């Protein structure tokens, strides 16, 4: 608004007041009509609804006199009587005039008339206009609210009012129905719902909901709801322990345990299942450790006699030794060099309960499986003959054998094919893989078998490794194809359909080990004699997603989970890799090759098995030297690392040279005392 226009309006107000003071209504109206002929003057007059309303009131009530206002304000024209009726604060009126005098620059896209303009919201209006607008709004319908004079801010505020008026939190439902709705939420959603209100918190903290989350997270399956209280805090404690375990794994903060058995001689084989670790030695003893309870048990073999070597120039003896060991929660089995398999019950003493004998020596493979809490299966292969033993209760155990067409190199029980009446036995030959369904029961007089199902068969392609996924239907077969050219491949088959899913490539030498993790259903990891580790994903293509390089010898064992990979080689190194960064976190070294390596969330089990089982000893030596025995190491990444029984003088924070206090941190450093 220009200064000249303001002066003209001020002059008009003075003349208008004089006419009103003379009580001349006609001349006052004539002044208004004369001024309104000019469009600019008309816009000044209509700039405020209060100004126009006050002019009409003043003309109708011509008997009243105006009181002069402050001449420094250019837009205040209200009378004293109107001010008494309208209690608006005077500066608010001034601000109202400035807000309502908005430029008409923008036009909304949805405007249908030419005269529609966008102006700012009038925040300060008189009480009379408020009451009038409130009365008129009651009579208007929903269609009248979308008129052209509505503004964007008005529509937005109206929408907020409608949202707040919805009685969402006042809706009352039976608790059973509300729990049915909340049981579809995950853990994060339940935590968010517990912060809404007290009623929602009582629903989100229900014991049944958090017990279901406890089981789905894999923390426990054998418990029931009434066994514990406050399942939400139990789940929270398990999650905190998982985070601590991952941090300890990355920083190599674990308590080492060395499982030794001097009287056993040289370590020959190692296996583990859950908290049980079993090891076989050249003395034909089998040692069992329970990491949860701390119990230790030594099983005795049924036959430890020495066999004479008739082919030797001088009459010699063939030492007996353990070739392979397997353990389950119920039984432990071990195969011996003399051609028999002993089976022990973990809770049934140190003497074997069943012996499976073969005519020849060198048992190729051994596998065990628990059908239920009272019955187990043991399968062993020697040449082309396979024997299956049913280990049950107090009755006599039964053994069933069958002959195959060619030499069997490996037998494995598939947990995915296990049911109440049958189990799947995976048989590996030189260049083919078969599945045999075994019907076994504790009450049956004999074990029955059906026809073999050929899963893999490629001529001139010897199989180097076989792996399968627990509780799934995937079987991976690694082989070397020599014709027409040498190729190293890994085929993945679906057991349910007996079809090839995908064939991976990338290795330059034979694949020595493979692992299919259960937590990551689409991924697998392989170790090769080319000293490399490759991770594959069937959703990413035929080639490896990434390759880990660092081993200096053939990779013997490999295992992975959702964030790390652990591998061991013939050189005695065990590497822990981070998948996200594709680099090594830390390593462990031993002089003997890594024969067995397995980990779970808490523990890492490493077994270093020497090549030489019967080293030359002195005449009076009865116990093998420590450097020949081999080792079984366990790293617990959740053990209490706090120092106990150490004097306080050795727990100081001082860091002194090694020559003075040997890094024990004495409270009073002796070398600094004068």
């Amino acid at each position: 608004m220009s200064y000249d226009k303001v002066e003209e309006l001020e002059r008009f107000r003075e003349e208008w007041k004089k006419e009103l003071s003379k009580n001349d209504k006609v001349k006052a109206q004539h002044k208004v009509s004369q001024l309104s002929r000019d469009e600019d003057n008309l816009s000044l007059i209509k700039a405020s609804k209060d100004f126009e309303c006050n002019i009409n009131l003043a003309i109708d009530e011509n008997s009243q006199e105006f009181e002069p206002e402050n001449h420094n304000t250019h837009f205040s024209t209200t009378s004293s009587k109107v001010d008494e009726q309208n209690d608006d604060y005077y500066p608010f009126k001034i601000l109202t005039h400035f807000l309502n005098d908005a430029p008409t620059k923008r036009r909304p896209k949805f405007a249908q008339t030419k005269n529609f303009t966008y102006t700012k919201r009038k925040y300060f209006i008189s009480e009379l206009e408020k009451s009038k607008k409130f009365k008129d709004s009651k009579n208007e319908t929903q269609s009248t609210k979308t008129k052209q004079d509505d503004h964007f801010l008005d529509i937005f505020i109206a929408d907020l009012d409608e949202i707040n008026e919805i009685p969402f939190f006042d809706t009352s439902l039976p608790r059973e129905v509300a729990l049915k709705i909340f049981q579809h939420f995950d853990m994060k959603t339940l935590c968010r719902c517990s912060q809404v209100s007290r009623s929602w918190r009582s629903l989100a903290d229900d014991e049944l909901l958090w017990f279901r989350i406890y089981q789905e997270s894999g923390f426990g399956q054998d418990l029931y709801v009434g066994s514990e209280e406050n399942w939400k805090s139990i789940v929270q404690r398990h999650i905190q322990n998982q985070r601590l375990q991952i941090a300890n794994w990355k920083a190599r903060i674990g308590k080492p345990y060395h499982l030794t058995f001097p009287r056993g001689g040289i370590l020959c084989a190692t296996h583990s299942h859950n908290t049980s670790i079993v090891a076989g030695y050249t003395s034909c003893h089998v040692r069992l450790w329970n990491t949860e309870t701390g119990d230790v048990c030594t099983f005795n073999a049924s036959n430890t006699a020495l066999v004479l070597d008739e082919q030797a120039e001088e009459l010699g003896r063939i030492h007996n030794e353990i070739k392979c060991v397997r353990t389950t929660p119920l039984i432990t089995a071990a195969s011996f060099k003399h051609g028999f398999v002993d089976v022990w019950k973990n809770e049934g003493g140190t003497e074997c309960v069943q012996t499976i004998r073969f005519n020849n020596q060198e048992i190729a493979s051994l596998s065990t499986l628990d059908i239920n809490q009272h019955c187990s299966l043991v399968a062993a292969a020697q040449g082309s003959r396979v024997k299956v033993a049913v280990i049950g209760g107090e009755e006599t155990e039964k053994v069933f054998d069958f002959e195959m067409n060619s030499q069997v190199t490996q037998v494995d029980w598939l947990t995915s094919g296990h049911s109440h009446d049958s189990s799947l036995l995976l048989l590996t030959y030189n260049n083919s893989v078969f599945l045999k369904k075994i019907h076994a029961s504790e009450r049956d007089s004999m074990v029955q078998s059906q026809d073999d199902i050929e899963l893999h068969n490629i001529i001139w392609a010897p199989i180097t490794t076989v792996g399968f996924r627990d509780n799934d239907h995937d079987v991976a077969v690694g082989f070397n194809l020599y014709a027409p050219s040498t190729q190293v491949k890994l085929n993945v088959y679906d057991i349910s359909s007996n079809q090839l899913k995908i064939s991976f490539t990338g290795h330059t030498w034979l694949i020595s080990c493979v692992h299919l993790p259960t937590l990551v259903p689409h991924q697998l990891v392989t170790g090769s004699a080319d000293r490399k580790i490759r991770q594959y994903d069937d959703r990413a293509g035929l080639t490896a997603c990434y390759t880990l390089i660092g081993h200096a010898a053939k990779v013997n064992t490999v295992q992975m989970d959702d964030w790390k990979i652990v591998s061991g080689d013939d050189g005695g190194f065990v590497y822990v890799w981070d998948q996200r960064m594709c680099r090594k976190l830390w390593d462990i070294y031993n002089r003997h090759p890594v024969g067995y390596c397995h980990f779970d969330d808490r523990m890492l089990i490493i077994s270093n098995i020497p090549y030489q089982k019967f080293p030359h000893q002195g005449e009076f030596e009865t116990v093998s030297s420590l450097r020949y025995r081999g080792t079984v190491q366990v790293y617990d990444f959740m053990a209490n690392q706090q120092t106990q029984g150490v004097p306080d003088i050795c727990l100081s924070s001082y860091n002194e040279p090694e020559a003075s206090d040997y890094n024990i941190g004495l409270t009073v450093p002796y070398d600094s005392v004068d």
Side-chain angles (χ1 to χ4, degrees), residues 389-647:
V390 182
I391 310 299
E394 298 179 357
E395 299 180 1
T396 304
E397 284 74 14
K398 298 166 284 295
V399 178
F400 173 74
D401 61 340
F402 49 89
E403 192 78 20
M404 304 303 297
N405 297 329
S406 60
Q407 184 177 358
V408 180
T409 58
Q410 184 176 345
V411 292
D412 293 291
W413 291 106
L414 296 183
T415 57
S416 60
H418 171 64
S419 62
H420 66 281
D421 61 345
S422 64
S423 300
L424 284 179
L425 183 63
L426 187 69
L427 302 173
T428 304
Y429 303 103
N430 184 28
N431 55 1
S432 59
V433 177
F434 287 86
L435 287 175
K436 180 180 287 292
K437 184 173 291 186
I438 304 295
H439 293 268
S441 177
E442 184 181 354
R443 299 180 180 179
D444 293 340
S445 59
M446 62 183 300
V447 179
Q448 300 177 359
S449 62
Q450 293 183 351
D451 296 336
D452 300 342
I453 300 174
E454 188 177 48
L455 191 65
H456 171 86
N457 189 2
I458 299 178
I459 302 176
W460 298 104
I463 296 174
T464 57
T465 183
V466 175
F468 55 91
R469 200 185 306 273
D470 294 338
N471 300 325
D472 206 337
H473 303 283
D474 294 340
V475 174
V477 180
F479 59 94
N480 293 347
L481 184 62
Y482 292 129
S485 61
T486 303
Q487 296 181 3
V488 180
K489 292 185 178 181
L490 181 71
N491 289 354
V492 180
Y493 297 90
D494 188 359
I495 300 178
S496 59
S497 61
N498 297 331
Q499 298 294 329
L500 176 65
K501 293 178 60 176
I502 193 171
S503 180
F504 296 113
T505 59
H507 284 288
T508 58
W509 206 359
L510 60 90
I511 300 175
S512 56
C513 52
V514 61
H515 179 249
L516 288 78
T518 306
L519 296 177
V520 192
H522 296 282
Q523 298 181 8
L524 58 89
V525 61
T526 59
S528 174
D530 59 4
R531 307 182 302 278
K532 297 179 181 179
I533 300 171
R534 287 176 171 85
Q535 190 268 343
Y536 296 93
D537 194 324
D538 55 11
R539 300 166 298 181
L542 304 180
T543 58
C545 296
Y546 55 84
T547 303
L548 302 177
I549 302 174
H551 284 282
K554 172 188 174 182
V555 180
N556 292 330
T557 62
V558 65
Q559 186 182 356
M560 68 172 295
D561 59 5
D562 55 346
W563 70 273
K564 66 178 178 295
I565 296 176
V566 178
S567 59
D569 59 13
D570 274 346
F573 282 94
V574 174
Y575 288 174
V576 178
W577 310 82
D578 192 327
Q579 296 186 38
R580 183 177 59 87
M581 296 183 293
C582 295
R583 69 176 183 87
K584 182 182 69 175
L585 295 176
W586 46 273
D587 57 58
I588 302 174
Y589 172 71
N590 191 283
R591 61 167 59 91
H592 301 296
V594 179
Y596 180 81
C597 183
H598 178 78
F599 71 87
D600 54 13
D601 293 337
R602 178 170 179 171
M603 292 187 178
L604 172 63
I605 303 170
I606 303 173
S607 175
N608 297 94
I609 302 174
Y611 284 123
Q612 190 176 4
K613 299 298 187 300
F614 297 95
H616 178 73
Q617 298 181 358
E619 183 179 357
F620 299 101
E621 291 183 2
T622 58
V623 179
S624 301
S625 176
L626 183 62
R627 63 179 178 271
Y628 299 129
R629 296 178 192 170
T631 59
V632 179
Q633 304 177 49
V634 179
Y635 290 85
D636 189 354
F637 293 95
M638 282 297 295
N640 188 5
Q641 298 283 343
Q642 295 181 356
T643 307
Q644 298 179 359
V646 179

Side-chain angles (χ1 to χ4, degrees), residues 141-197:
T141 59
Q142 186 68 22
S143 61
T144 58
K145 292 183 179 180
T146 59
K147 289 184 178 180
Q148 298 175 356
D149 56 348
D150 289 342
H151 307 299
F152 292 112
L153 186 59
D154 296 337
I155 297 174
F156 178 70
I157 294 177
D159 293 340
L160 293 179
D161 294 338
E162 291 179 0
I163 294 174
N164 295 331
E165 290 174 0
I166 296 176
F168 182 76
F169 302 113
D170 297 336
T171 302
S172 59
L173 290 175
R175 185 176 181 85
E176 293 77 7
V177 178
L179 289 176
K180 287 291 184 181
I181 299 174
F182 275 60
Q183 71 180 0
H184 298 284
F185 297 159
D186 56 357
M187 181 172 53
K188 184 181 295 185
T189 306
L190 285 179
C191 294
R192 291 174 177 175
C193 291
S194 63
Q195 301 176 359
V196 175
S197 61

Side-chain angles (χ1 to χ4, degrees), residues 317-334:
R317 296 179 178 181
I318 301 176
H319 296 278
N320 194 10
E321 62 179 282
I322 295 177
K323 303 297 293 184
C324 182
V325 291
R326 290 292 183 270
T327 183
T328 64
L330 296 181
I331 63 172
T332 298

Side-chain angles (χ1 to χ4, degrees), residues 204-275:
D205 293 347
D206 188 78
E207 295 292 332
L208 291 173
L209 298 178
W210 285 99
F211 177 72
R212 177 183 58 84
I213 293 178
Y214 176 84
Q215 289 186 329
E216 292 178 354
S217 301
F219 299 136
Q221 300 293 335
D222 300 334
L223 300 177
Y224 57 93
V225 181
S227 59
E228 298 289 344
E229 295 181 357
N230 196 359
W231 285 101
K232 183 177 180 179
S233 61
I234 295 175
V235 173
Q236 181 181 6
R237 184 170 64 253
H238 279 280
I239 293 176
Q240 291 177 353
N241 290 338
Q242 282 185 344
R243 294 178 179 177
L244 180 60
Q245 287 175 1
I246 294 176
N248 291 341
W249 268 95
K250 293 182 177 180
R252 195 184 175 181
I253 303 176
K255 187 175 182 180
Y257 298 93
H258 295 275
L259 307 181
T260 59
F261 184 46
R263 294 188 298 109
I266 308 301
L267 181 65
C268 297
T270 309
H271 188 255
S272 66
H273 186 276
N274 294 337
T275 59

